[in-house]
PDB file of all heavy atoms in Angstrom:
ATOM      1  N   ASP A 674       0.814  -1.216   0.022  1.00 98.00           N
ATOM      2  CA  ASP A 674       0.005   0.003  -0.036  1.00 98.00           C
ATOM      3  C   ASP A 674       0.871   1.250   0.010  1.00 98.00           C
ATOM      4  O   ASP A 674       0.316   2.376  -0.132  1.00 98.00           O
ATOM      5  CB  ASP A 674      -0.929   0.034   1.239  1.00 98.00           C
ATOM      6  CG  ASP A 674      -1.968  -1.090   1.160  1.00 98.00           C
ATOM      7  OD1 ASP A 674      -2.502  -1.388   0.090  1.00 98.00           O
ATOM      8  OD2 ASP A 674      -2.217  -1.687   2.264  1.00 98.00           O
ATOM      9  N   THR A 675       2.147   1.126   0.180  1.00 98.00           N
ATOM     10  CA  THR A 675       3.045   2.270   0.185  1.00 98.00           C
ATOM     11  C   THR A 675       2.941   3.036  -1.151  1.00 98.00           C
ATOM     12  O   THR A 675       3.178   2.445  -2.191  1.00 98.00           O
ATOM     13  CB  THR A 675       4.467   1.826   0.443  1.00 98.00           C
ATOM     14  OG1 THR A 675       4.573   1.244   1.747  1.00 98.00           O
ATOM     15  CG2 THR A 675       5.461   2.980   0.361  1.00 98.00           C
ATOM     16  N   ALA A 676       2.658   4.306  -1.040  1.00 98.00           N
ATOM     17  CA  ALA A 676       2.460   5.113  -2.246  1.00 98.00           C
ATOM     18  C   ALA A 676       2.183   6.571  -1.873  1.00 98.00           C
ATOM     19  O   ALA A 676       1.866   6.831  -0.692  1.00 98.00           O
ATOM     20  CB  ALA A 676       1.355   4.575  -3.099  1.00 98.00           C
ATOM     21  N   LEU A 677       2.194   7.421  -2.880  1.00 98.00           N
ATOM     22  CA  LEU A 677       1.643   8.735  -2.725  1.00 98.00           C
ATOM     23  C   LEU A 677       0.142   8.617  -3.009  1.00 98.00           C
ATOM     24  O   LEU A 677      -0.235   8.082  -4.054  1.00 98.00           O
ATOM     25  CB  LEU A 677       2.286   9.717  -3.723  1.00 98.00           C
ATOM     26  CG  LEU A 677       3.429  10.560  -3.249  1.00 98.00           C
ATOM     27  CD1 LEU A 677       3.952  11.388  -4.449  1.00 98.00           C
ATOM     28  CD2 LEU A 677       3.006  11.539  -2.155  1.00 98.00           C
ATOM     29  N   TYR A 678      -0.642   9.097  -2.116  1.00 98.00           N
ATOM     30  CA  TYR A 678      -2.087   9.044  -2.301  1.00 98.00           C
ATOM     31  C   TYR A 678      -2.648  10.393  -2.693  1.00 98.00           C
ATOM     32  O   TYR A 678      -2.410  11.402  -2.032  1.00 98.00           O
ATOM     33  CB  TYR A 678      -2.753   8.558  -1.011  1.00 98.00           C
ATOM     34  CG  TYR A 678      -2.629   7.070  -0.780  1.00 98.00           C
ATOM     35  CD1 TYR A 678      -1.381   6.507  -0.464  1.00 98.00           C
ATOM     36  CD2 TYR A 678      -3.718   6.255  -0.878  1.00 98.00           C
ATOM     37  CE1 TYR A 678      -1.272   5.151  -0.270  1.00 98.00           C
ATOM     38  CE2 TYR A 678      -3.621   4.885  -0.733  1.00 98.00           C
ATOM     39  CZ  TYR A 678      -2.404   4.321  -0.433  1.00 98.00           C
ATOM     40  OH  TYR A 678      -2.249   2.983  -0.239  1.00 98.00           O
ATOM     41  N   TYR A 679      -3.423  10.371  -3.787  1.00 98.00           N
ATOM     42  CA  TYR A 679      -3.970  11.612  -4.362  1.00 98.00           C
ATOM     43  C   TYR A 679      -5.477  11.593  -4.250  1.00 98.00           C
ATOM     44  O   TYR A 679      -6.141  10.607  -4.573  1.00 98.00           O
ATOM     45  CB  TYR A 679      -3.617  11.763  -5.840  1.00 98.00           C
ATOM     46  CG  TYR A 679      -2.132  11.893  -6.105  1.00 98.00           C
ATOM     47  CD1 TYR A 679      -1.344  10.776  -6.292  1.00 98.00           C
ATOM     48  CD2 TYR A 679      -1.544  13.156  -6.170  1.00 98.00           C
ATOM     49  CE1 TYR A 679       0.006  10.884  -6.548  1.00 98.00           C
ATOM     50  CE2 TYR A 679      -0.199  13.304  -6.413  1.00 98.00           C
ATOM     51  CZ  TYR A 679       0.604  12.165  -6.594  1.00 98.00           C
ATOM     52  OH  TYR A 679       1.933  12.292  -6.883  1.00 98.00           O
ATOM     53  N   CYS A 680      -5.994  12.725  -3.878  1.00 97.00           N
ATOM     54  CA  CYS A 680      -7.419  12.978  -3.862  1.00 97.00           C
ATOM     55  C   CYS A 680      -7.797  13.624  -5.250  1.00 97.00           C
ATOM     56  O   CYS A 680      -6.987  14.418  -5.757  1.00 97.00           O
ATOM     57  CB  CYS A 680      -7.787  13.924  -2.737  1.00 97.00           C
ATOM     58  SG  CYS A 680      -9.512  14.396  -2.659  1.00 97.00           S
ATOM     59  N   ALA A 681      -8.914  13.246  -5.803  1.00 97.00           N
ATOM     60  CA  ALA A 681      -9.308  13.756  -7.093  1.00 97.00           C
ATOM     61  C   ALA A 681     -10.840  14.064  -7.130  1.00 97.00           C
ATOM     62  O   ALA A 681     -11.623  13.323  -6.539  1.00 97.00           O
ATOM     63  CB  ALA A 681      -8.965  12.762  -8.201  1.00 97.00           C
ATOM     64  N   ALA A 682     -11.182  15.072  -7.856  1.00 95.00           N
ATOM     65  CA  ALA A 682     -12.583  15.418  -8.069  1.00 95.00           C
ATOM     66  C   ALA A 682     -12.989  15.113  -9.515  1.00 95.00           C
ATOM     67  O   ALA A 682     -12.259  15.403 -10.447  1.00 95.00           O
ATOM     68  CB  ALA A 682     -12.823  16.882  -7.787  1.00 95.00           C
ATOM     69  N   GLY A 683     -14.155  14.519  -9.714  1.00 95.00           N
ATOM     70  CA  GLY A 683     -14.626  14.150 -11.009  1.00 95.00           C
ATOM     71  C   GLY A 683     -14.938  15.354 -11.880  1.00 95.00           C
ATOM     72  O   GLY A 683     -15.141  16.472 -11.409  1.00 95.00           O
ATOM     73  N   SER A 684     -15.031  15.116 -13.173  1.00 94.00           N
ATOM     74  CA  SER A 684     -15.240  16.184 -14.146  1.00 94.00           C
ATOM     75  C   SER A 684     -16.684  16.443 -14.482  1.00 94.00           C
ATOM     76  O   SER A 684     -17.040  17.495 -15.052  1.00 94.00           O
ATOM     77  CB  SER A 684     -14.444  15.881 -15.424  1.00 94.00           C
ATOM     78  OG  SER A 684     -14.865  14.654 -16.004  1.00 94.00           O
ATOM     79  N   GLN A 685     -17.560  15.483 -14.223  1.00 94.00           N
ATOM     80  CA  GLN A 685     -18.972  15.630 -14.572  1.00 94.00           C
ATOM     81  C   GLN A 685     -19.842  15.802 -13.320  1.00 94.00           C
ATOM     82  O   GLN A 685     -19.858  14.978 -12.440  1.00 94.00           O
ATOM     83  CB  GLN A 685     -19.426  14.415 -15.370  1.00 94.00           C
ATOM     84  CG  GLN A 685     -20.867  14.464 -15.842  1.00 94.00           C
ATOM     85  CD  GLN A 685     -21.263  13.258 -16.635  1.00 94.00           C
ATOM     86  OE1 GLN A 685     -20.446  12.576 -17.236  1.00 94.00           O
ATOM     87  NE2 GLN A 685     -22.553  12.984 -16.716  1.00 94.00           N
ATOM     88  N   ALA A 686     -20.606  16.878 -13.350  1.00 93.00           N
ATOM     89  CA  ALA A 686     -21.535  17.130 -12.247  1.00 93.00           C
ATOM     90  C   ALA A 686     -22.626  16.117 -12.245  1.00 93.00           C
ATOM     91  O   ALA A 686     -23.129  15.658 -13.235  1.00 93.00           O
ATOM     92  CB  ALA A 686     -22.124  18.531 -12.395  1.00 93.00           C
ATOM     93  N   TYR A 687     -23.009  15.651 -11.041  1.00 94.00           N
ATOM     94  CA  TYR A 687     -24.075  14.703 -10.807  1.00 94.00           C
ATOM     95  C   TYR A 687     -23.903  13.430 -11.637  1.00 94.00           C
ATOM     96  O   TYR A 687     -24.880  12.859 -12.089  1.00 94.00           O
ATOM     97  CB  TYR A 687     -25.433  15.350 -11.125  1.00 94.00           C
ATOM     98  CG  TYR A 687     -25.715  16.593 -10.301  1.00 94.00           C
ATOM     99  CD1 TYR A 687     -25.718  17.841 -10.858  1.00 94.00           C
ATOM    100  CD2 TYR A 687     -25.982  16.459  -8.963  1.00 94.00           C
ATOM    101  CE1 TYR A 687     -25.983  18.978 -10.122  1.00 94.00           C
ATOM    102  CE2 TYR A 687     -26.256  17.573  -8.180  1.00 94.00           C
ATOM    103  CZ  TYR A 687     -26.251  18.824  -8.749  1.00 94.00           C
ATOM    104  OH  TYR A 687     -26.527  19.952  -8.016  1.00 94.00           O
ATOM    105  N   SER A 688     -22.714  12.981 -11.776  1.00 93.00           N
ATOM    106  CA  SER A 688     -22.447  11.758 -12.483  1.00 93.00           C
ATOM    107  C   SER A 688     -23.153  10.579 -11.751  1.00 93.00           C
ATOM    108  O   SER A 688     -23.117  10.505 -10.523  1.00 93.00           O
ATOM    109  CB  SER A 688     -20.962  11.462 -12.551  1.00 93.00           C
ATOM    110  OG  SER A 688     -20.695  10.237 -13.212  1.00 93.00           O
ATOM    111  N   LYS A 689     -23.766   9.710 -12.534  1.00 91.00           N
ATOM    112  CA  LYS A 689     -24.521   8.609 -11.924  1.00 91.00           C
ATOM    113  C   LYS A 689     -23.613   7.561 -11.294  1.00 91.00           C
ATOM    114  O   LYS A 689     -24.041   6.844 -10.386  1.00 91.00           O
ATOM    115  CB  LYS A 689     -25.398   7.953 -12.996  1.00 91.00           C
ATOM    116  CG  LYS A 689     -26.500   8.838 -13.518  1.00 91.00           C
ATOM    117  CD  LYS A 689     -27.352   8.112 -14.543  1.00 91.00           C
ATOM    118  CE  LYS A 689     -28.465   8.976 -15.059  1.00 91.00           C
ATOM    119  NZ  LYS A 689     -29.288   8.241 -16.075  1.00 91.00           N
ATOM    120  N   TYR A 690     -22.415   7.430 -11.824  1.00 95.00           N
ATOM    121  CA  TYR A 690     -21.532   6.352 -11.381  1.00 95.00           C
ATOM    122  C   TYR A 690     -20.103   6.819 -11.348  1.00 95.00           C
ATOM    123  O   TYR A 690     -19.650   7.410 -12.326  1.00 95.00           O
ATOM    124  CB  TYR A 690     -21.668   5.153 -12.322  1.00 95.00           C
ATOM    125  CG  TYR A 690     -21.207   3.843 -11.704  1.00 95.00           C
ATOM    126  CD1 TYR A 690     -22.018   3.171 -10.815  1.00 95.00           C
ATOM    127  CD2 TYR A 690     -20.008   3.276 -12.088  1.00 95.00           C
ATOM    128  CE1 TYR A 690     -21.614   1.940 -10.248  1.00 95.00           C
ATOM    129  CE2 TYR A 690     -19.588   2.082 -11.557  1.00 95.00           C
ATOM    130  CZ  TYR A 690     -20.376   1.402 -10.651  1.00 95.00           C
ATOM    131  OH  TYR A 690     -19.971   0.224 -10.084  1.00 95.00           O
ATOM    132  N   PRO A 691     -19.344   6.534 -10.283  1.00 97.00           N
ATOM    133  CA  PRO A 691     -17.973   7.006 -10.207  1.00 97.00           C
ATOM    134  C   PRO A 691     -17.084   6.390 -11.242  1.00 97.00           C
ATOM    135  O   PRO A 691     -17.241   5.215 -11.602  1.00 97.00           O
ATOM    136  CB  PRO A 691     -17.557   6.569  -8.831  1.00 97.00           C
ATOM    137  CG  PRO A 691     -18.810   6.387  -8.036  1.00 97.00           C
ATOM    138  CD  PRO A 691     -19.786   5.857  -9.041  1.00 97.00           C
ATOM    139  N   ALA A 692     -16.085   7.152 -11.730  1.00 96.00           N
ATOM    140  CA  ALA A 692     -15.160   6.616 -12.690  1.00 96.00           C
ATOM    141  C   ALA A 692     -13.959   5.962 -11.984  1.00 96.00           C
ATOM    142  O   ALA A 692     -13.566   6.306 -10.889  1.00 96.00           O
ATOM    143  CB  ALA A 692     -14.644   7.781 -13.551  1.00 96.00           C
ATOM    144  N   ARG A 693     -13.397   4.954 -12.712  1.00 97.00           N
ATOM    145  CA  ARG A 693     -12.221   4.265 -12.206  1.00 97.00           C
ATOM    146  C   ARG A 693     -10.943   4.752 -12.892  1.00 97.00           C
ATOM    147  O   ARG A 693      -9.856   4.372 -12.497  1.00 97.00           O
ATOM    148  CB  ARG A 693     -12.329   2.785 -12.468  1.00 97.00           C
ATOM    149  CG  ARG A 693     -13.342   2.035 -11.619  1.00 97.00           C
ATOM    150  CD  ARG A 693     -13.403   0.562 -11.975  1.00 97.00           C
ATOM    151  NE  ARG A 693     -14.292  -0.183 -11.079  1.00 97.00           N
ATOM    152  CZ  ARG A 693     -13.909  -0.866 -10.016  1.00 97.00           C
ATOM    153  NH1 ARG A 693     -12.613  -0.808  -9.642  1.00 97.00           N
ATOM    154  NH2 ARG A 693     -14.766  -1.532  -9.289  1.00 97.00           N
ATOM    155  N   THR A 694     -11.083   5.512 -13.906  1.00 97.00           N
ATOM    156  CA  THR A 694      -9.952   5.933 -14.755  1.00 97.00           C
ATOM    157  C   THR A 694      -9.569   7.390 -14.499  1.00 97.00           C
ATOM    158  O   THR A 694     -10.350   8.178 -14.084  1.00 97.00           O
ATOM    159  CB  THR A 694     -10.272   5.708 -16.241  1.00 97.00           C
ATOM    160  OG1 THR A 694     -11.459   6.453 -16.560  1.00 97.00           O
ATOM    161  CG2 THR A 694     -10.499   4.277 -16.593  1.00 97.00           C
ATOM    162  N   LEU A 695      -8.297   7.681 -14.827  1.00 97.00           N
ATOM    163  CA  LEU A 695      -7.773   9.001 -14.606  1.00 97.00           C
ATOM    164  C   LEU A 695      -8.543  10.094 -15.324  1.00 97.00           C
ATOM    165  O   LEU A 695      -8.702  11.220 -14.793  1.00 97.00           O
ATOM    166  CB  LEU A 695      -6.288   9.063 -15.016  1.00 97.00           C
ATOM    167  CG  LEU A 695      -5.316   8.260 -14.178  1.00 97.00           C
ATOM    168  CD1 LEU A 695      -3.941   8.230 -14.843  1.00 97.00           C
ATOM    169  CD2 LEU A 695      -5.195   8.815 -12.776  1.00 97.00           C
ATOM    170  N   ASP A 696      -8.980   9.773 -16.537  1.00 96.00           N
ATOM    171  CA  ASP A 696      -9.643  10.806 -17.368  1.00 96.00           C
ATOM    172  C   ASP A 696     -11.053  11.132 -16.850  1.00 96.00           C
ATOM    173  O   ASP A 696     -11.698  11.997 -17.427  1.00 96.00           O
ATOM    174  CB  ASP A 696      -9.670  10.407 -18.854  1.00 96.00           C
ATOM    175  CG  ASP A 696     -10.392   9.087 -19.114  1.00 96.00           C
ATOM    176  OD1 ASP A 696     -10.918   8.504 -18.139  1.00 96.00           O
ATOM    177  OD2 ASP A 696     -10.427   8.645 -20.286  1.00 96.00           O
ATOM    178  N   GLY A 697     -11.521  10.463 -15.840  1.00 97.00           N
ATOM    179  CA  GLY A 697     -12.789  10.792 -15.255  1.00 97.00           C
ATOM    180  C   GLY A 697     -12.718  11.900 -14.224  1.00 97.00           C
ATOM    181  O   GLY A 697     -13.746  12.290 -13.630  1.00 97.00           O
ATOM    182  N   TYR A 698     -11.500  12.374 -13.967  1.00 97.00           N
ATOM    183  CA  TYR A 698     -11.240  13.398 -12.928  1.00 97.00           C
ATOM    184  C   TYR A 698     -10.442  14.527 -13.526  1.00 97.00           C
ATOM    185  O   TYR A 698      -9.530  14.298 -14.327  1.00 97.00           O
ATOM    186  CB  TYR A 698     -10.508  12.740 -11.752  1.00 97.00           C
ATOM    187  CG  TYR A 698     -11.255  11.610 -11.151  1.00 97.00           C
ATOM    188  CD1 TYR A 698     -11.195  10.337 -11.682  1.00 97.00           C
ATOM    189  CD2 TYR A 698     -12.073  11.826 -10.049  1.00 97.00           C
ATOM    190  CE1 TYR A 698     -11.915   9.290 -11.164  1.00 97.00           C
ATOM    191  CE2 TYR A 698     -12.812  10.774  -9.468  1.00 97.00           C
ATOM    192  CZ  TYR A 698     -12.710   9.504 -10.040  1.00 97.00           C
ATOM    193  OH  TYR A 698     -13.434   8.465  -9.500  1.00 97.00           O
TER     194      TYR A 698
END
């Protein structure tokens, strides 16, 4: 689990389902 942990906000308002990919944020 050792890593740099990043918080990210999604790009689409009121998205129905969270993204798993980088381009979703």
